[in-house]
Amino acid sequence: MKFLITDLQIQLDGHRLGFMQNLMSYVEYHHTTDEFLFLTNRSRAFELKSPAKHIRSLQLTQEEQDLVHAETKPLSIARAEWSIINKYALEFSADRVILMFMDSYQIEIGRTQVPFKISGIWFSPYPRIESESNNLGSKIQTWLTKMRKRIVMRTALRNAQLDKIFILNDEEMPKWLNKGVTRFFTLADPYFAYEPLEDYKLREVYGIPEDHLIFLQFGYMDERKNLENIVNAFNQLPEIYAQKSTLLLIGKFKAGFKEQVERLKSGPFQLIIRDEFVPNAEMESAFAQSDVILRMNVGFFGSSGIIGVAAQHNKPVIASNTGVMAEIVEKYHLGMLVDPYNTKEIADAISRFHTIPDSLRIDGTKYRNNHDLATFAETLLQK
């Protein structure tokens, strides 16, 4: 069987490159009687390689990438990318195309007839969206957003070749959406156990005192990361806890956002910012040597790979109390849940890790067993 596995929107700001890299590593030693073509956008920042004869890896040609970049509207970009994906699928004689980020292509899938089966990871299921406030305007906007996303998915479902839609970590969503024909499935959001750096000492690298608890926020930094409320919560800490707390922010910041965050600090806690993308080995080392992992995103209702990295190192999380992520944290006892808009609640959670040392210890074994690379890959590669 021939698989075309593609993501044409990879940037070094999340786990999507990791999905492709680790899936390729897995099929090097498994599914060796199948053939695989991994197709990505053109970039100097990364390159997928495999020595295996049953695996090919391609980036878009410069001409193809220029065609995509020439478009400015999301629907036009999706149309250009979908046309390219179809071209490669036909040339490769693919039996199945796996879209590692399906959300962009739902309308195009519904508008076209193709000779291959289609699978995709759906990152933003509309039933999970909730209004972020109780005012009427917010509720109406939320309803309109859900209706738009519902119509878009219904458009995609017109294509019978789209037979497997995967939703990360969400066990309830397929039950809600499957009616008559089973096309929605839960996909384990995997953790990837990268090798940490040798002789790496986080406290020495950043000048963090030994008696401080390190609260790590990792990933691309923009408004969705909720840093305004997080920093204000640290500002509200009792002085005895603030003086022994370090808020460590590691990841590339949206332009101008770092300065906004720095201006918010007023409490005696230590704030450290690393405004750049860091390699996997350094990420692994930072998680292993931090005390608590923060994931209190706003307007976010899906899964997060950060939870898996924290579980890999048995580190507790403070997470938002909405959506799939909250259900996962609660089910596997991975940390604490808070209202991401309530700074007092966040501050109380931070304080708890100072007052109750046992809160710093969690067991991520069960989560890891259910969310390893093999579980992710074998589900995704269903024929």
Side-chain angles (χ1 to χ4, degrees):
M1 187 165 177
K2 292 185 175 183
F3 291 89
L4 169 60
I5 301 173
T6 184
D7 189 336
L8 299 184
Q9 301 172 11
I10 295 175
Q11 299 181 37
L12 300 184
D13 60 1
H15 55 267
R16 285 163 59 178
L17 177 58
F19 276 7
M20 294 286 277
Q21 289 173 326
N22 284 276
L23 188 57
M24 177 180 283
S25 297
Y26 182 84
V27 300
E28 280 185 8
Y29 302 100
H30 304 83
H31 296 265
T32 54
T33 59
D34 296 315
E35 293 181 50
F36 294 88
L37 172 60
F38 285 79
L39 177 65
T40 68
N41 48 298
R42 191 171 189 83
S43 175
R44 294 180 181 178
F46 65 86
E47 183 179 5
L48 299 180
K49 289 184 178 180
S50 172
K53 293 181 179 179
H54 66 294
I55 298 173
R56 289 172 58 199
S57 176
L58 294 174
Q59 291 192 349
L60 297 188
T61 66
Q62 189 61 60
E63 181 181 6
E64 290 165 341
Q65 193 66 69
D66 289 343
L67 286 173
V68 173
H69 286 161
E71 304 294 344
T72 57
K73 297 180 179 179
L75 290 178
S76 298
I77 294 171
R79 185 174 300 117
E81 291 181 344
W82 181 246
S83 176
I84 293 169
I85 292 169
N86 273 262
K87 183 191 76 169
Y88 279 94
L90 294 173
E91 290 177 355
F92 182 57
S93 300
D95 299 298
R96 179 173 293 280
V97 170
I98 300 178
L99 303 168
M100 301 299 284
F101 186 82
M102 191 193 75
D103 300 51
S104 299
Y105 307 115
Q106 294 172 73
I107 291 177
E108 293 306 310
I109 291 170
R111 292 175 63 238
T112 55
Q113 295 298 317
V114 294
F116 45 81
K117 294 291 185 181
I118 305 170
S119 304
I121 303 178
W122 187 28
F123 280 80
S124 301
Y126 60 83
R128 284 288 184 184
I129 298 174
E130 301 176 16
S131 176
E132 295 188 51
S133 74
N134 288 321
N135 70 67
L136 182 60
S138 178
K139 289 182 177 180
I140 291 173
Q141 185 59 50
T142 299
W143 182 84
L144 289 173
T145 299
K146 293 176 74 167
M147 288 303 101
R148 176 177 57 80
K149 288 181 175 289
R150 183 180 183 184
I151 291 169
V152 168
M153 176 51 74
R154 283 188 172 183
T155 300
L157 291 172
R158 293 175 188 169
N159 191 333
Q161 295 289 70
L162 176 63
D163 65 338
K164 290 182 173 60
I165 302 163
F166 297 107
I167 307 171
L168 291 168
N169 274 358
D170 198 327
E171 298 177 3
E172 296 302 318
M173 188 66 63
K175 301 174 187 176
W176 299 345
L177 294 174
N178 282 323
K179 296 178 181 178
V181 180
T182 301
R183 297 167 82 174
F184 295 90
F185 300 85
T186 301
L187 177 66
D189 194 354
Y191 72 91
F192 305 125
Y194 299 111
E195 285 295 322
L197 294 171
E198 290 187 15
D199 301 320
Y200 182 87
K201 297 180 180 179
L202 185 71
R203 292 180 184 272
E204 288 185 10
V205 169
Y206 292 105
I208 301 172
E210 288 295 327
D211 64 345
H212 276 214
L213 291 183
I214 303 173
F215 295 83
L216 173 65
Q217 175 90 37
F218 187 92
Y220 180 72
M221 303 293 179
D222 60 10
E223 290 81 0
R224 295 181 307 165
K225 289 297 192 293
N226 196 28
L227 293 182
E228 179 178 356
N229 286 322
I230 290 172
V231 172
N232 283 331
F234 274 85
N235 289 336
Q236 294 176 26
L237 289 176
E239 187 171 344
I240 188 174
Y241 303 140
Q243 290 177 340
K244 294 186 177 183
S245 295
T246 296
L247 175 56
L248 177 58
L249 310 179
I250 300 179
K252 187 65 180 174
F253 276 66
K254 173 184 173 183
F257 192 53
K258 175 185 174 183
E259 292 73 21
Q260 293 181 39
V261 172
E262 289 175 326
R263 287 194 293 269
L264 292 171
K265 182 184 183 301
S266 62
F269 67 96
Q270 184 181 37
L271 173 63
I272 299 173
I273 294 178
R274 173 81 176 273
D275 180 14
E276 62 181 299
F277 174 82
V278 300
N280 292 327
E282 188 171 348
M283 174 194 73
E284 208 74 26
S285 302
F287 273 78
Q289 296 179 39
S290 294
D291 296 296
V292 181
I293 311 304
L294 306 181
R295 198 58 169 169
M296 291 170 276
N297 285 21
V298 292
F300 180 81
F301 308 102
S303 179
S304 171
I306 295 297
I307 300 299
V309 186
Q312 160 71 4
H313 296 286
N314 295 317
K315 301 297 181 178
V317 300
I318 304 177
S320 301
N321 62 356
T322 55
V324 178
M325 189 164 56
E327 293 176 6
I328 290 293
V329 170
E330 190 170 45
K331 176 179 179 179
Y332 290 97
H333 309 290
L334 299 178
M336 300 175 64
L337 300 176
V338 297
D339 178 346
Y341 295 97
N342 189 325
T343 55
K344 182 181 184 303
E345 200 170 311
I346 297 171
D348 288 345
I350 296 166
S351 298
R352 180 181 173 86
F353 286 105
H354 285 281
T355 59
I356 307 177
D358 283 349
S359 301
L360 294 167
R361 292 188 285 272
I362 62 112
D363 184 357
T365 305
K366 187 175 180 181
Y367 182 91
R368 295 195 300 270
N369 290 343
N370 293 341
H371 296 80
D372 60 5
L373 176 58
T375 302
F376 169 76
E378 291 300 335
T379 303
L380 199 58
L381 296 173
Q382 293 175 22
K383 298 177 182 181

